[in-house]
Amino acid sequence: MLRAIASPALRAPAFRVCLATRLPTVVIARSFSSASPRYKPIVSTPADQPSSKGSEGAHPKDSVPQRTDALTSDPIDTAPTHIVKGDWVLFHPVYSTSELHAVKVMHRAADKLSDKAAYFLVRTARKCFDLISGYKDKKIPEGTNMSVEELQKQGYILTELDWLNRILFLESIAGVPGMVGATLRHLRSLRLMKRDSGWIHTLLEEAENERMHLMTFMTVRKPSIWLRGLILGAQGVFYNLFFMTYLFSPRACHRFVAYLEEEAVRTYTHCIEEVEAGHVPAWENKPAPAIAKEYWRMKDDATLLDVIYAVRSDETTHRFVNHSLANLNSKTDVNPFAIREPDMHVKGAKLGFERDEAEKYVEQSREIMEKAAARN
């Protein structure tokens, strides 16, 4: 997403560093591919010139929605030309091939009491859902010659329906924390009449990204009435519990989400292994949904497996970001990802920034902005 940083600067009392100090207004774009420069200054476009395509970068399929007025036959624009086609408007990464394969399944040891409580809740929730959904990660006996159907009956592998039910449920819940955190921080900013240090946008991006995962997999299969009822109840309970907890301990909530994302990365890695092993035949060469191709800027011949790789990378980003936010002081520290994010070669192999690392990253962002301002 594009970030506009203007004076007065975003300040972090604890970090004793600001992202911009009386700098001319400058916009930094987080790039969508490691093949291109990761931080590109963008100058404002005069009002009498065509604007660039949407906030996620130019896309060949972008178009301007139009409607026809009831009293005339002339089309009337309903959105500016920079609005991108699709059901999203916020930043999200688009990964290179090497980034998609740079993800590692990792776990951060819980050292503090709140971390231990968060991890216990995540593991308990996972075990309960595994039991309800029939999810098993049993190791297939070496040298077995059982067919896919036999492996499914023996409980060694999941069916396509099992995978979809699990993914739809998890993504419907995963979109809650970011929206809750963004809402509470938004209200706090209004209430205290002070800036938010960049946290709100990142949390909104996370919520929308998780929602787009759900929208993508819903094109593969519509949820049943039973699953919709389960989601309704789970969302109602989870939203309110998370809301109340975030009021008292944002740090514990971000650690909880980070542990949740650790499990999501583990689950999607398992799913990728199953598809690549031929244990989900229906997905081996299944084309990627159109919504996924547009959202992640995929090639026309992209498959559902490519989508799963992209979703796993998204979950890895959330794992990294939430572990990092949990290490900060939510009341004083700048969100280090307000301007830019590391690529997946960093996020896929590291469990977040420690507080001193986040401070250095913010300082690097400030230097990048100063150089960009000097060039303009």
Side-chain angles (χ1 to χ4, degrees):
M1 182 179 177
L2 306 184
R3 305 289 194 222
I5 305 296
S7 178
L10 207 62
R11 294 180 174 83
F15 281 178
R16 296 180 181 177
V17 65
C18 61
L19 296 182
T21 306
R22 297 294 174 184
L23 291 177
T25 300
V26 63
V27 178
I28 300 295
R30 292 188 284 182
S31 73
F32 306 110
S33 169
S34 59
S36 60
R38 198 154 289 271
Y39 321 114
K40 182 171 61 177
I42 297 179
V43 297
S44 300
T45 303
D48 58 348
Q49 294 182 16
S51 61
S52 61
K53 293 294 181 182
S55 61
E56 300 166 86
H59 185 252
K61 296 183 180 178
D62 288 346
S63 63
V64 182
Q66 295 184 334
R67 67 178 174 85
T68 300
D69 189 272
L71 301 180
T72 71
S73 59
D74 297 328
I76 298 175
D77 291 348
T78 58
T81 57
H82 68 274
I83 297 299
V84 78
K85 174 183 177 182
D87 192 24
W88 61 89
V89 293
L90 301 178
F91 164 83
H92 64 276
V94 173
Y95 308 101
S96 66
T97 302
S98 62
E99 286 180 306
L100 291 173
H101 292 83
V103 174
K104 295 181 180 179
V105 176
M106 304 173 69
H107 169 62
R108 178 189 173 99
D111 49 2
K112 297 182 179 180
L113 181 60
S114 60
D115 294 351
K116 293 179 180 179
Y119 186 57
F120 173 77
L121 289 173
V122 168
R123 291 299 299 171
T124 300
R126 167 149 196 165
K127 288 179 181 178
C128 291
F129 183 60
D130 286 352
L131 182 63
I132 294 173
S133 63
Y135 177 87
K136 295 183 179 66
D137 191 5
K138 295 171 60 177
K139 186 176 181 179
I140 300 176
E142 294 184 7
T144 182
N145 57 359
M146 287 188 289
S147 65
V148 170
E149 291 75 14
E150 290 173 329
L151 288 171
Q152 291 173 351
K153 290 180 180 178
Q154 295 293 326
Y156 288 106
I157 61 176
L158 299 180
T159 66
E160 175 193 10
L161 180 60
D162 291 335
W163 276 116
L164 283 171
N165 283 337
R166 184 174 185 81
I167 291 171
L168 289 171
F169 180 83
L170 291 177
E171 295 299 349
S172 70
I173 301 301
V176 171
M179 185 58 69
V180 171
T183 298
L184 288 174
R185 292 196 67 92
H186 172 75
L187 295 176
R188 178 177 180 271
S189 178
L190 297 178
R191 187 169 62 251
L192 300 181
M193 298 182 183
K194 60 185 294 185
R195 299 182 71 170
D196 178 66
S197 300
W199 288 55
I200 294 173
H201 287 167
T202 294
L203 295 175
L204 286 174
E205 288 163 4
E206 177 182 309
E208 181 177 75
N209 181 250
E210 297 286 14
R211 182 178 63 85
M212 290 306 297
H213 293 173
L214 178 65
M215 297 298 104
T216 296
F217 283 103
M218 280 184 63
T219 64
V220 181
R221 178 180 182 271
K222 300 298 181 184
S224 65
I225 296 298
W226 178 85
L227 183 59
R228 287 177 181 273
L230 182 63
I231 291 172
L232 179 64
Q235 186 183 92
V237 173
F238 181 56
Y239 184 98
N240 287 288
L241 287 177
F242 195 85
F243 183 96
M244 295 302 297
T245 306
Y246 202 95
L247 288 172
F248 298 100
S249 182
R251 180 188 180 281
C253 286
H254 286 295
R255 189 72 76 200
F256 173 88
V257 175
Y259 284 138
L260 199 64
E261 299 298 353
E262 287 183 4
E263 297 301 321
V265 172
R266 190 184 310 277
T267 295
Y268 280 113
T269 299
H270 180 204
C271 185
I272 289 170
E273 292 171 350
E274 292 291 274
V275 175
E276 292 182 335
H279 293 158
V280 192
W283 289 1
E284 286 188 28
N285 298 301
K286 189 177 182 66
I291 188 175
K293 293 179 184 179
E294 292 179 354
Y295 186 67
W296 284 286
R297 305 297 192 251
M298 292 180 168
K299 297 179 180 179
D300 290 337
D301 61 350
T303 66
L304 189 60
L305 179 60
D306 296 323
V307 175
I308 299 172
Y309 266 105
V311 171
R312 183 182 68 164
S313 294
D314 285 344
E315 306 296 6
T316 305
T317 294
H318 303 325
R319 180 184 71 182
F320 184 91
V321 168
N322 279 280
H323 271 312
S324 299
L325 296 181
N327 294 334
L328 305 182
N329 184 324
S330 62
K331 293 183 179 179
T332 61
D333 292 348
V334 164
N335 166 25
F337 313 112
I339 305 300
R340 61 190 181 113
E341 290 180 8
D343 66 19
M344 193 51 61
H345 296 289
V346 175
K347 294 184 290 189
K350 184 178 176 66
L351 288 170
F353 285 144
E354 296 299 327
R355 199 160 181 248
D356 59 334
E357 293 174 315
E359 178 182 356
K360 292 178 182 178
Y361 197 75
V362 171
E363 177 63 22
Q364 290 171 359
S365 297
R366 183 190 63 80
E367 293 173 358
I368 290 170
M369 293 176 64
E370 288 179 339
K371 291 179 181 178
R375 286 196 298 266
N376 291 305

